[in-house]
């Protein structure tokens, strides 16, 4: 039986970074992956496919100013099908998988394909399609991620009632879709499908989309989604979902439609329903009891600040430990867990987590929101720059973009940055760095930025904020 210093279960962002960090510390490492391909949800069903699809849609609908990868494809095809778009994305996904395999190989990390489960706290069974084996582990990192929640009461299939996993396998965009859930996944796909001309209705139980982001940015997003033809049903709860026969004359390809009944008594119908409420930790089948562990009712594993579970030599990282459940944070948690388990000191700026939402338009934030600062009684002022007052914004033709800085009224330090518009998810990192180094907004006033760039928004927003502060 092979014996390892560390066995990592799962090859998503958390598992990869944990394994690579441990290997860099000179440890003997094995990763176990139940799928034929490495990379986890991030590469195969989540982040990269959805972002590749977004880029393909932007290119196909002429919204992307610079899109070499999809340019030829779009020019050659004219009208595109969803299957064509996904096919165009496959090269990106394949390249990412090759990169990850390359990193495992260059760090001498063994990759075992099969489903892992605990036989005891130090022994992992790996059940492959054709073979079984067991490996011994001094330490274990559980990085099994999550899968879409599929309530038993809903009759999911591959076409009419789907989750984000099946959306990637649709051949054609449906004529109409009901998106249930206005979180990140629901909002991103709603905006992408609307850009493709699909009639989208989005139902969200709360009174606004994306309740963790700045309210002004959420309002702006809602406005732009409505402009793009999305019907938003906010503050509405779905009580039942079922399939019904499509009325004659409908554009349904299989004579079936999805129907959602709302608590308010409304009935909504569409060719397809995307269920995007919550994800479930993939801990079922791990036989956690044999390791002395248990998951909560959403399949998540509790850890302490070191990413250590209740069993000291077993760590967990990534989506399986819960919020914020992003590829970016999962990578960092994986890296930190490896450092912690092998006693390696390491710094992390995890306090300043950026959030990127790749809706159309895209959104990003770091730090506090206005609502949080108000609730906490922190005195602040907001400085705003509209893309339309920035030369680069004009060049891009982005009339809707906006960057907002939240500035402490007394210390003038940066408390939060919120952006919507082209490049928002890139732009946010300037503010993130300033916050990590406790900079005041005077930095942005005095710094020289390349021109014309969107980064100039920082200078304009800082001046706007300081002007307002002058009057206090
Ligand atoms: C549609 C969608 C869009 C997203 N967009 C973004 C985005 O834009 N930005 C962002 O930061 N995040 C995004 N995310 C979230 C991101 O994908 C996850 O946060 C990230 O993949 C979590 O990484 P992980 O390593 O924890 O788990 P995963 O990536 O889920 O990997 C877990 C791996 O463990 C394997 N596994 C599970 N059980 C076993 C077992 N018993 N034995 C062996 N292997 C096992 C799985 O097969 C999988 O490969 C998105 C997610 C979705 C669904």
């Amino acid at each position: 039986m092979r014996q390892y210093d560390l066995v990592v279960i799962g090859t998503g962002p958390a598992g990869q970074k944990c394994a690579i960090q441990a290997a860099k510390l000179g440890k003997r490492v094995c990763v176990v992956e139940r799928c034929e391909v490495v990379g986890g949800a991030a590469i195969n069903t989540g982040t990269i496919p959805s972002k590749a699809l977004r880029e393909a849609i932007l290119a196909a609908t002429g919204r992307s100013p610079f899109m070499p990868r999809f340019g030829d494809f779009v020019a050659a095809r004219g009208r595109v099908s969803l299957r064509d778009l996904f096919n165009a994305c496959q090269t990106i996904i394949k390249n990412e998988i090759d990169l990850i395999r390359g990193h495992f190989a260059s760090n001498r990390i063994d990759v075992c394909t099969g489903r892992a489960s605990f036989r005891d706290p130090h022994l992992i069974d790996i059940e492959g399609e054709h073979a079984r084996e067991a490996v011994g582990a001094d330490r274990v990192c559980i990085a099994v991620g999550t899968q879409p929640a599929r309530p038993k009461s809903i009759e999911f299939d591959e076409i009419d009632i789907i989750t984000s996993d099946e959306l990637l396998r649709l051949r054609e965009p449906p004529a109409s879709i009901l998106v249930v859930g206005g979180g990140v996944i629901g909002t991103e796909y709603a905006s992408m499908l609307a850009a493709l001309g699909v009639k989208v209705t989005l139902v969200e139980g709360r009174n606004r989309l994306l309740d963790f982001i700045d309210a002004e940015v959420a309002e702006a997003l809602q406005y732009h989604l409505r402009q793009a033809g999305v019907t938003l049903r906010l503050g509405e709860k779905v009580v039942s979902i079922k399939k019904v026969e499509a009325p004659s004359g409908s554009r349904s390809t299989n004579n079936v439609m999805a129907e959602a009944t709302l608590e308010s008594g409304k009935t909504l119908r569409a060719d397809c329903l995307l269920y995007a409420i919550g994800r479930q930790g993939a801990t079922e089948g791990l036989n956690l009891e044999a390791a002395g562990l248990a998951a909560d009712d959403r399949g998540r594993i509790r850890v302490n600040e070191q990413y250590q579970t209740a069993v000291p030599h077993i760590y967990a990282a990534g989506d399986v430990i819960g919020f914020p459940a992003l590829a970016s944070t999962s990578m960092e948690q994986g890296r930190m867990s490896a450092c912690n388990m092998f006693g390696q000191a390491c710094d992390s700026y995890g306090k300043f987590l950026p959030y990127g939402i790749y809706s159309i338009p895209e959104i990003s934030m770091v730090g506090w929101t206005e609502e949080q600062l108000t609730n906490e009684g922190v005195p602040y002022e907001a400085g705003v720059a509209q893309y339309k007052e920035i030369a680069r914004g004009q060049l891009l033709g982005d009339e809707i973009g906006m960057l907002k800085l939240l500035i402490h009224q007394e210390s003038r330090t940066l408390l939060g940055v919120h952006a919507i518009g082209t490049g928002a998810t890139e732009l946010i990192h300037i503010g993130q760095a300033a916050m990590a180094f406790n900079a005041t907004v005077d930095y942005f006033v005095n710094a020289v930025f390349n021109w014309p760039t969107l980064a100039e928004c920082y200078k304009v927003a800082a001046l706007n904020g300081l002007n307002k502060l002058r009057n206090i």
Side-chain angles (χ1 to χ4, degrees):
M1 186 182 74
R2 288 184 282 174
Q3 180 70 31
Y4 290 95
D5 297 318
L6 169 65
V7 171
V8 179
I9 309 177
T11 60
Q16 286 162 42
K17 299 299 169 192
C18 177
I20 292 169
Q21 178 63 67
K24 298 256 181 250
L25 295 173
K27 305 298 171 189
R28 192 158 181 239
V29 184
C30 163
V31 289
V32 189
E33 174 54 60
R34 67 179 173 185
C35 295
E36 284 299 320
V37 285
V38 294
I43 304 297
N44 299 297
T45 53
T47 317
I48 296 301
S50 63
K51 265 77 263 185
L53 179 64
R54 181 181 187 273
E55 293 299 336
I57 290 173
L58 290 176
T61 54
R63 291 159 199 241
S64 175
F66 177 66
M67 202 57 248
R69 187 176 290 282
F70 299 110
D72 293 348
F73 159 76
V74 172
R77 303 286 175 113
R79 193 184 165 277
V80 287
S81 75
L82 212 48
R83 177 76 6 214
D84 289 338
L85 288 173
F86 289 133
N87 285 343
C89 301
Q90 287 311 313
T91 323
I92 299 167
I93 294 168
K94 187 184 167 304
N95 288 347
E96 287 289 320
I97 291 171
D98 289 347
L99 273 175
I100 297 167
R101 283 211 171 270
H103 289 148
F104 285 149
S106 62
N107 285 286
R108 297 175 192 281
I109 294 166
D110 288 349
V111 180
C112 292
T113 306
R115 183 179 290 271
S117 62
F118 285 95
R119 195 185 306 171
D120 71 36
H122 285 283
L123 193 60
I124 312 288
D125 283 317
I126 305 169
E127 197 174 336
E129 209 179 323
H130 307 293
R132 277 175 150 222
E133 75 166 310
V135 289
D138 288 349
R139 290 183 179 74
V140 180
C141 180
I142 302 173
V144 292
T146 55
Q147 49 216 16
R150 285 188 172 81
K152 289 209 169 61
S153 58
I154 302 175
E155 206 186 324
F156 289 96
D157 59 21
E158 297 273 311
I159 304 170
D160 304 300
I161 302 181
I162 59 172
T163 69
S164 57
D165 283 2
E166 291 80 50
L167 187 112
L168 297 168
R169 297 198 284 270
L170 289 182
R171 294 196 69 80
E172 297 294 335
S176 58
I177 193 162
L178 287 175
V179 178
V180 179
V184 176
I185 294 172
T187 305
E188 286 186 356
Y189 276 135
S191 68
M192 287 184 218
L193 291 168
L196 267 185
V198 178
K199 198 167 157 242
V200 180
T201 303
L202 193 161
V203 189
E204 164 57 43
R206 298 196 178 92
N207 289 323
R208 54 173 270 203
L209 299 177
L210 304 168
D211 65 339
F212 61 95
I213 67 167
D214 181 82
E216 192 181 353
V217 173
E219 256 173 47
L221 175 69
Q222 287 168 195
Y223 171 79
H224 294 301
L225 286 178
R226 287 189 172 112
Q227 292 292 102
V230 177
T231 303
L232 295 179
R233 297 273 177 207
L234 303 177
E236 295 263 28
K237 289 206 170 57
V238 172
V239 287
S240 75
I241 291 171
K242 62 179 182 190
K243 289 187 223 175
V244 293
E245 199 180 315
S248 59
S250 94
R251 287 177 58 196
S252 162
T253 46
N254 62 351
N255 228 15
V256 175
M257 290 188 93
E259 180 181 283
T261 307
L262 309 188
E263 203 172 57
S264 61
K266 294 185 194 74
T267 299
L268 305 176
R269 279 188 185 178
D271 293 319
C272 181
L273 184 146
L274 171 65
Y275 188 84
I277 303 185
R279 293 181 63 87
Q280 188 78 17
T283 44
E284 224 182 62
L286 274 181
N287 196 21
L288 287 176
E289 312 78 59
L293 285 171
D296 69 12
D297 59 343
R298 290 182 56 193
R300 292 171 306 199
I301 297 176
R302 187 188 286 269
V303 291
N304 63 18
E305 287 196 340
Q306 312 288 306
Y307 303 104
Q308 192 175 31
T309 68
V311 178
H313 73 279
I314 303 179
Y315 288 66
D319 283 14
V320 74
I321 65 169
F323 188 82
L326 291 168
S328 48
T329 45
S330 298
M331 290 181 205
E332 184 60 356
Q333 292 167 356
R335 183 182 78 92
M336 295 292 291
S337 69
C339 290
N340 294 337
M341 68 178 80
F342 294 114
Q344 169 73 38
C346 69
D347 289 331
S348 175
Y349 287 102
K351 213 169 89 188
F352 303 103
L353 285 181
Y355 294 89
I357 297 133
Y358 294 85
S359 44
I360 303 172
E362 77 187 55
I363 288 173
S364 197
M365 65 168 277
V366 62
W368 299 69
T369 62
E370 291 203 56
E371 296 84 339
Q372 286 168 335
L373 291 171
T374 304
N375 291 341
E376 294 291 320
V378 180
Y380 73 93
E381 189 50 85
V384 176
Q386 306 285 348
Y387 282 17
K388 59 186 172 210
E389 50 182 337
I390 306 288
R392 175 55 71 187
Q394 290 289 340
L395 290 169
L396 287 168
D398 187 334
E399 293 275 307
I400 61 163
M402 185 261 282
L403 178 92
K404 177 163 75 175
L405 305 183
L406 302 181
I407 307 159
H408 196 288
Q409 280 198 346
E410 286 138 25
S411 67
R412 293 153 76 112
T413 50
L414 198 53
L415 300 168
V417 186
H418 303 272
I420 179 168
T422 310
T425 53
E426 299 282 354
L427 206 52
I428 212 72
H429 297 117
I430 300 175
Q432 181 194 28
M435 286 174 68
F437 292 102
N438 214 20
T440 67
V441 284
D442 301 277
Y443 165 74
F444 296 119
V445 173
N446 299 325
V448 176
F449 291 91
N450 281 329
W451 195 82
T453 57
L454 287 176
E456 193 200 353
C457 287
Y458 277 94
K459 193 186 261 286
V460 173
L463 287 167
N464 176 258
L466 291 181
N467 276 343
K468 291 180 190 164
L469 282 179
R470 230 165 262 136
N471 299 328
I472 294 169

